Amino acid sequence: MNKQHIVIVGGGFGGVNAAQSLKNAPVQVTLIDRRNHHLFQPLLYQVATGHLSPADIASPLRRLFKRQPNVRVLLGEVTGFDVTRQKVLLSDGAVPYDTLIVAAGAGHHYFGNDHWQKWAPPLKTVEDALEIRRRVLSAFEMAERAADPATMRAWLTFVIIGGGPTGVEMAGALAEVAHKALRHEFRAINPADARIILVQSPAAILPTYDPALAQKGAAALEKMGVSVRTQARVTAVSPRSVTLQSGAAVEVVPTHTVVWAAGVKASPLGEVLARATDAMLDRSGRVLVQPDLSVPGHDNIFVVGDLAHTLNEVGQPLPGVAQVAIQQGKYVAQLLQHRLDGRRVRPFRYQSRGDMAQIGRQTAVVQIGSVRLVGVLAWHLWWIVHLMYLAGFQNRLIVFLQWTWSYFTHSRPALLITRQNESEPEVAGFPLETVG
Amino acid sequence: MNKQHIVIVGGGFGGVNAAQSLKNAPVQVTLIDRRNHHLFQPLLYQVATGHLSPADIASPLRRLFKRQPNVRVLLGEVTGFDVTRQKVLLSDGAVPYDTLIVAAGAGHHYFGNDHWQKWAPPLKTVEDALEIRRRVLSAFEMAERAADPATMRAWLTFVIIGGGPTGVEMAGALAEVAHKALRHEFRAINPADARIILVQSPAAILPTYDPALAQKGAAALEKMGVSVRTQARVTAVSPRSVTLQSGAAVEVVPTHTVVWAAGVKASPLGEVLARATDAMLDRSGRVLVQPDLSVPGHDNIFVVGDLAHTLNEVGQPLPGVAQVAIQQGKYVAQLLQHRLDGRRVRPFRYQSRGDMAQIGRQTAVVQIGSVRLVGVLAWHLWWIVHLMYLAGFQNRLIVFLQWTWSYFTHSRPALLITRQNESEPEVAGFPLETVG
């Protein structure tokens, strides 16, 4: 009798944890991803600010499952689901399944303004991080060559849109790059003159945090030189500026470097799956699932992670954070094992292990249960937790060294400008004269 | 009275060493490069084979000169030289000089077949290394999905063109990736079945080495699974194959992954400089300079490194290696200091510190003076020397760790597939159906 074949779509936190948790189950697993590596996204902003290299936070999927013979890794792009014949359709083939776990994650939401993406890139993949790094460093280079103060100022203005943990961490790291890491490296400009503006539409940054803690976080950012603008909406993004609206006041901020850290939209595979299974989607495109994370009417199809719309005990949707994906991936693996054993299965229950966000060198905000921490201790705790969850021993060693290094110095080892595209201009500025 | 202004074009070994050696001279230095970092090219092949990350071997130029106030770094592209008005012309400006040092280096020579470059990329920049890494890893992924043995075989065949140190090191590292690092990671293929072919036009690989040592190197490569083809010329390169000619025999090798490590051509700035100064060029485009490295008739214009055609005591041109560039950069700096002091200046004399090439994990060939070494000792010596010359303490620490790590394991930490271009297909294979 053939072993049950479980196909997992997505090699992020949800998919990898599901596959790893099936290690001892009498099943065959195929993990499909269109990239060859698992990315530790919580540390991605550190690649964007030159503190880590991509390889420090990414693990080739094959290496993760090298010693797990019941897992096969396939590099491929999923284009559809044939639910009748039980096959996952790829751009160049198909993979049959007995059970399907869709963990395709989420991307960024530009709220209908997708054309903003070119000038306000998101921070989701290694390429995103490297592009942001390139733009940030190039901005300082362009400022150094600026012919007049207004041009210099525009190049030394950085806008981060979105005041959740990603935006906050990005802003803090950027402030540190400008005020510390690049100090003394320029002659015509003082990098510490850089203005970093963090734009948040709600009334406070870190809205999922205790308000008092979030306030302390905002104060820490301001102290580092970040200008925090809450209750400000972005209404336009161009290669030269960002337009903010606060109540009736409209402000045009001249800038050439914008990072998008606001709004999450589920992977397009959510819609593809919904059409194939008659499932429903929420406003962000996430698939509404049963308490056991299965798709209604399809007890052999599950959705976990950012792609799933699940509720906590008080009926609120769970956030799209790594912890949720990790726990859901493990849950589904356990559910499948229980089924094989004929044991009853309980609904998924999320156990929050707290939230933490790094504000800059040696400051972080942490809330775990009723514990609230801000400052150096929180900063160390932040590193410890992130290290624990980082896959791969080599990665942990390198990142541990970076943690130690950054405790003693302001130096950032990976402040390189590398080009994505050979046809880009040699000097990494923007071809302003050709863009409207 | 204004200080003498020295402009250095190029932030490679020659330019950086010249600038650093002018630390205590009463001069102002401007170092221009179109990239923001100094690249330690001898270790670039290790980025191409996933052993190091770009940041491990590249140092932002600004950081190198942070504590040297008389050096200003400019990110810019040099387009010409106005020798009459003594200005270096940039794509977007001009920089006046009193003394000019051109250290623009070299690129790759495709012997009139520039269209081969697309399918046989060179190994010169960080982007080159990352592209090669992407192709190599993608080839294994494509082999894993291959529908028939011939397709699988073509994907598992890798051809390296050029049997000098670069080609040899690349071949050895690739053999190690195939036979060790990727072992157990695939299910349909055995990566150790990969064929690696090193193609060399002359009669032996490592032609600048003692023939007996080169022979030992070739034997070590064969033992690692590399097929060494000497006296074989490449006559065609396509996305599907490479055509080799050996005497009258012609062989078409089906392959999708080719690396070009043969033939060096000077930077186009050599020709630009020659036209501006009436200097002469050799066949590779290098500028013929005086014994003091100055351009004939222009005692305030110097050329150092790969761009310069200089002779040793027996009248042979010096090779385009890092050591020569380092010594020449230091020499010119010293010459300029001597001139300021009114001291006599002696001609440049190259002191060879030997040659070394790594063949794979724990084997290298080294020749220093009359000393010949092959094996593990040579391997350690190789790492020590490269570490000493690597700029930047952080880089040395990380690379030192990689050395230690690779002594104990076969693991390669940076085996990531990252895309250069967002419009490339999600699965990193080649669009064979659209290419002739």
Side-chain angles (χ1 to χ4, degrees):
Chain A
M1 182 178 117
N2 279 340
K3 284 186 180 171
Q4 185 188 158
H5 184 210
I6 301 172
V7 174
I8 302 175
V9 174
F13 286 113
V16 163
N17 277 278
Q20 286 177 330
S21 305
L22 287 168
K23 190 182 173 101
N24 299 315
V27 299
Q28 180 61 41
V29 178
T30 296
L31 179 72
I32 304 173
D33 200 301
R34 49 187 184 169
R35 308 308 305 278
N36 84 325
H37 53 270
H38 164 72
L39 183 63
F40 192 76
Q41 284 184 38
L43 285 178
L44 195 55
Y45 80 96
Q46 296 223 1
V47 173
T49 51
H51 199 56
L52 293 174
S53 286
D56 300 336
I57 63 164
S59 302
L61 287 164
R62 296 188 177 286
R63 183 180 306 151
L64 286 179
F65 294 104
K66 197 163 153 159
R67 307 203 183 287
Q68 197 173 328
N70 72 338
V71 173
R72 170 174 78 136
V73 174
L74 216 60
L75 188 74
E77 180 165 17
V78 173
T79 52
F81 304 97
D82 184 336
V83 166
T84 322
R85 293 183 189 76
Q86 296 199 165
K87 285 186 180 177
V88 173
L89 308 174
L90 308 176
S91 58
D92 57 354
V95 182
Y97 65 83
D98 296 312
T99 302
L100 174 63
I101 305 175
V102 185
H108 280 266
H109 204 347
Y110 284 85
F111 305 114
N113 299 299
D114 285 346
H115 55 287
W116 287 354
Q117 183 165 349
K118 184 166 192 217
W119 300 110
L123 186 59
K124 199 74 184 161
T125 64
V126 164
E127 288 77 10
D128 290 340
L130 294 178
E131 176 59 14
I132 290 169
R133 181 180 77 180
R134 186 185 76 84
R135 290 188 189 199
V136 165
L137 292 177
S138 300
F140 286 100
E141 295 289 346
M142 295 299 281
E144 175 84 342
R145 308 266 321 269
D148 59 270
T151 306
M152 187 188 288
R153 191 129 173 83
W155 281 113
L156 285 180
T157 301
F158 302 86
V159 179
I160 294 163
I161 302 170
T166 302
V168 164
E169 294 187 316
M170 187 71 211
L174 202 40
E176 200 194 307
V177 165
H179 295 121
K180 302 281 164 66
L182 295 180
R183 193 165 42 178
H184 305 313
E185 290 198 6
F186 293 85
R187 304 284 176 252
I189 62 166
N190 178 2
D193 290 342
R195 270 195 319 161
I196 295 137
I197 303 171
L198 179 63
V199 179
Q200 171 73 329
S201 181
I205 61 168
L206 300 175
T208 54
Y209 284 61
D210 180 304
L213 200 59
Q215 182 52 40
K216 287 204 167 97
L221 278 174
E222 292 274 0
K223 203 164 151 207
M224 292 185 68
V226 175
S227 170
V228 180
R229 306 271 185 88
T230 50
Q231 288 183 309
R233 263 190 336 117
V234 170
T235 55
V237 176
S238 83
R240 299 171 206 278
S241 65
V242 163
T243 306
L244 307 179
Q245 182 148 1
S246 251
V250 173
E251 183 187 355
V252 177
V253 179
T255 173
H256 301 297
T257 317
V258 185
V259 178
W260 185 267
V264 172
K265 189 169 65 174
S267 158
L269 281 184
E271 191 172 333
V272 173
L273 182 66
R275 271 190 275 113
T277 56
D278 283 331
M280 297 186 57
L281 300 174
D282 69 8
R283 260 186 346 178
S284 310
R286 297 191 294 181
V287 180
L288 270 59
V289 292
Q290 303 278 58
D292 67 354
L293 306 184
S294 65
V295 172
H298 300 268
D299 67 357
N300 67 335
I301 299 180
F302 298 85
V303 184
V304 302
D306 288 3
L307 191 55
H309 177 107
T310 44
L311 307 175
N312 63 11
E313 308 92 46
V314 295
Q316 293 161 332
L318 292 177
V321 295
Q323 292 192 63
V324 171
I326 291 169
Q327 291 184 23
Q328 290 186 342
K330 290 179 172 176
Y331 168 83
V332 173
Q334 202 177 51
L335 177 151
L336 294 174
Q337 180 67 66
H338 279 15
R339 279 189 185 173
L340 286 169
D341 297 339
R343 289 168 61 181
R344 271 190 58 215
V345 168
R346 51 170 183 73
F348 172 73
R349 173 163 290 179
Y350 174 57
Q351 314 260 3
S352 171
R353 307 229 193 285
D355 293 295
M356 42 180 65
Q358 193 184 115
I359 306 281
R361 185 167 166 267
Q362 305 200 14
T363 302
V365 289
V366 170
Q367 66 184 23
I368 302 178
S370 58
V371 173
R372 305 278 178 270
L373 276 180
V374 64
V376 176
L377 200 62
W379 185 81
H380 284 295
L381 188 60
W382 184 96
W383 274 105
I384 289 170
V385 170
H386 280 72
L387 263 184
M388 275 168 42
Y389 278 95
L390 187 61
F393 177 69
Q394 266 176 308
N395 295 10
R396 285 199 194 108
L397 179 61
I398 298 294
V399 172
F400 171 76
L401 287 170
Q402 289 308 340
W403 169 25
T404 314
W405 194 267
S406 64
Y407 185 68
F408 291 107
T409 77
H410 291 288
S411 187
R412 282 176 172 257
L415 285 171
L416 304 184
I417 296 178
T418 52
R419 282 170 301 160
Q420 308 277 59
N421 193 325
E422 287 297 316
S423 69
E424 276 170 6
E426 290 291 349
V427 177
F430 309 129
L432 295 176
E433 55 280 354
T434 58
V435 181
Chain B
M1 182 177 115
N2 278 340
K3 284 188 183 171
Q4 188 189 154
H5 184 210
I6 300 172
V7 174
I8 301 176
V9 175
F13 286 113
V16 163
N17 276 277
Q20 287 178 330
S21 304
L22 287 167
K23 190 180 175 106
N24 299 317
V27 298
Q28 181 62 41
V29 178
T30 296
L31 178 71
I32 306 173
D33 199 301
R34 51 187 184 169
R35 308 309 303 279
N36 83 327
H37 52 271
H38 164 73
L39 184 64
F40 192 76
Q41 285 183 38
L43 285 178
L44 194 57
Y45 81 96
Q46 296 223 1
V47 173
T49 50
H51 199 56
L52 292 174
S53 285
D56 300 336
I57 61 164
S59 302
L61 287 164
R62 294 188 178 287
R63 182 181 305 150
L64 286 180
F65 294 103
K66 196 163 155 160
R67 308 204 181 285
Q68 198 173 329
N70 72 337
V71 172
R72 171 175 78 136
V73 174
L74 216 60
L75 188 73
E77 180 165 16
V78 173
T79 51
F81 304 97
D82 184 336
V83 167
T84 322
R85 293 183 190 77
Q86 295 200 164
K87 284 185 180 179
V88 172
L89 308 174
L90 308 177
S91 59
D92 58 353
V95 182
Y97 66 83
D98 296 312
T99 303
L100 174 64
I101 305 176
V102 185
H108 280 266
H109 204 345
Y110 284 85
F111 306 114
N113 298 300
D114 284 347
H115 56 286
W116 287 355
Q117 183 164 350
K118 184 166 192 215
W119 300 109
L123 186 59
K124 198 74 183 160
T125 64
V126 164
E127 287 78 10
D128 290 339
L130 294 178
E131 175 61 13
I132 289 168
R133 179 180 79 181
R134 185 185 77 85
R135 291 187 188 200
V136 166
L137 292 178
S138 300
F140 285 99
E141 295 289 346
M142 294 299 280
E144 174 85 341
R145 309 266 320 270
D148 60 87
T151 307
M152 187 189 287
R153 191 128 173 86
W155 282 112
L156 286 179
T157 300
F158 301 86
V159 179
I160 294 162
I161 302 170
T166 302
V168 164
E169 293 187 316
M170 187 72 207
L174 202 41
E176 199 194 308
V177 166
H179 295 121
K180 302 281 164 63
L182 296 180
R183 193 166 41 176
H184 303 314
E185 290 198 6
F186 293 85
R187 304 283 176 254
I189 63 166
N190 180 2
D193 290 341
R195 273 197 316 164
I196 295 137
I197 304 171
L198 180 62
V199 178
Q200 171 74 329
S201 181
I205 61 166
L206 300 175
T208 54
Y209 284 61
D210 180 304
L213 198 59
Q215 182 52 40
K216 287 206 166 97
L221 279 174
E222 291 273 359
K223 202 165 153 208
M224 292 185 69
V226 174
S227 169
V228 181
R229 306 271 186 90
T230 50
Q231 290 183 309
R233 259 188 341 115
V234 171
T235 55
V237 176
S238 84
R240 300 171 206 276
S241 64
V242 163
T243 307
L244 307 179
Q245 182 148 2
S246 253
V250 172
E251 183 188 355
V252 176
V253 180
T255 173
H256 301 297
T257 317
V258 184
V259 178
W260 185 268
V264 172
K265 187 169 67 172
S267 157
L269 281 184
E271 191 173 333
V272 174
L273 181 67
R275 271 191 275 114
T277 57
D278 283 331
M280 298 185 56
L281 300 175
D282 70 7
R283 259 184 347 177
S284 310
R286 298 189 295 182
V287 181
L288 270 61
V289 292
Q290 304 278 59
D292 68 352
L293 306 185
S294 66
V295 172
H298 300 267
D299 68 356
N300 68 335
I301 299 179
F302 298 85
V303 184
V304 302
D306 287 3
L307 192 55
H309 177 107
T310 44
L311 306 175
N312 63 13
E313 308 92 45
V314 295
Q316 294 162 333
L318 291 178
V321 296
Q323 291 192 63
V324 171
I326 291 170
Q327 291 185 23
Q328 291 186 342
K330 290 179 173 175
Y331 167 83
V332 171
Q334 201 177 51
L335 177 151
L336 295 173
Q337 180 67 65
H338 280 14
R339 277 187 185 174
L340 286 169
D341 298 338
R343 288 168 60 182
R344 270 191 58 218
V345 166
R346 53 172 181 71
F348 172 74
R349 172 163 291 178
Y350 174 55
Q351 314 259 4
S352 172
R353 308 229 193 284
D355 293 294
M356 42 180 65
Q358 193 184 116
I359 306 283
R361 184 168 167 267
Q362 305 199 11
T363 303
V365 288
V366 170
Q367 65 183 27
I368 303 177
S370 57
V371 172
R372 305 280 178 271
L373 276 181
V374 63
V376 176
L377 201 63
W379 184 82
H380 284 294
L381 188 60
W382 183 96
W383 273 105
I384 289 170
V385 170
H386 280 71
L387 264 183
M388 275 169 40
Y389 278 94
L390 186 61
F393 176 69
Q394 266 177 311
N395 295 9
R396 284 199 195 108
L397 179 62
I398 298 293
V399 172
F400 171 76
L401 287 170
Q402 290 307 341
W403 169 25
T404 313
W405 194 268
S406 64
Y407 184 67
F408 291 107
T409 78
H410 290 288
S411 188
R412 282 173 173 259
L415 285 172
L416 303 184
I417 296 178
T418 52
R419 280 170 301 160
Q420 308 278 58
N421 195 327
E422 287 297 317
S423 67
E424 275 170 6
E426 291 289 351
V427 177
F430 309 130
L432 295 177
E433 55 280 355
T434 57
V435 181

